[in-house]
Amino acid sequence: MSAEPPGPANGPESDAAAREAAGTVLVRVRSGLITEESVYGIVLVSGMIVVAGGYGATSWETFLGVIGTVVVFWAAHVYAGTVAGHGVLEGDETTLAGAFHRAVGRSLGFLLAALLPCFVLLLGALKAIDDSVAMWTALWLGVVVLGVLGFSAFTVRGSSWPVRIAGALGTAAFGFAMIALKAIIH
């Protein structure tokens, strides 16, 4: 019985490579989620919920409206990012495909940020929870997601705890503003 010699496939180097790969994935996830597009996505979803609630829409109608609007805004954002990022500057060799991939990666947070509130709206649409509960829960979830985005952005930058908390509250304030609008409209 001979033991396999240590090497990249089964030694300390492979552990380091795996940690580095995991770290790279985490950085990509963070950079895709902690963006202004993520904040815009949540604020857009919250605004759609407020408007739908003002018209007495059901969770199903709100869910469909939000999903449709988010997809159209995302596609427009990707298109604009592709056009703006494709060889605009003299000497810029960015290909159309490269600009497209960068725009998709940059705007991924726009789509992902909408997932949790939309999931709650879907629960209302499927009658797992009451329409009103679904709408309010989705709005409050938007506040939480905004707070997490703000906190995470300042954490990634190595800010102190008071600055992280202030960042979370500042970002969450946009969600609170939407809730105030909903309260005023009703």
Side-chain angles (χ1 to χ4, degrees):
M1 283 193 194
S2 66
E4 288 184 37
N10 59 2
E13 294 86 8
S14 67
D15 292 341
R19 282 192 302 276
E20 184 177 327
T24 301
V25 168
L26 186 58
V27 166
R28 284 188 180 171
V29 168
R30 272 193 236 152
S31 66
L33 289 177
I34 305 171
T35 63
E36 63 269 22
E37 289 84 1
S38 296
V39 173
Y40 293 148
I42 287 293
V43 172
L44 174 70
V45 168
S46 297
M48 292 288 300
I49 294 168
V50 168
V51 169
Y55 288 106
T58 65
S59 292
W60 182 246
E61 294 164 334
T62 305
F63 173 77
L64 292 176
V66 167
I67 290 291
T69 301
V70 165
V71 168
V72 169
F73 269 74
W74 174 78
H77 190 36
V78 169
Y79 177 79
T82 301
V83 171
H86 176 237
V88 175
L89 302 174
E90 190 173 322
D92 183 2
E93 299 295 323
T94 302
T95 65
L96 188 60
F100 174 76
H101 288 290
R102 189 174 344 146
V104 167
R106 178 99 181 126
S107 64
L108 191 58
F110 193 91
L111 287 177
L112 295 177
L115 288 179
L116 289 175
C118 285
F119 177 72
V120 172
L121 290 172
L122 183 59
L123 289 176
L126 297 173
K127 301 298 180 205
I129 57 177
D130 182 67
D131 277 346
S132 178
V133 171
M135 301 270 209
W136 282 105
T137 302
L139 281 174
W140 281 107
L141 190 54
V143 172
V144 170
V145 170
L146 285 167
V148 168
L149 286 172
F151 185 86
S152 298
F154 285 96
T155 299
V156 167
R157 286 154 185 80
S159 299
S160 66
W161 276 96
V163 172
R164 293 176 194 187
I165 292 169
L169 293 174
T171 311
F174 292 105
F176 286 123
M178 289 298 171
I179 287 176
L181 282 172
K182 180 147 176 72
I184 291 168
I185 289 175
H186 284 119

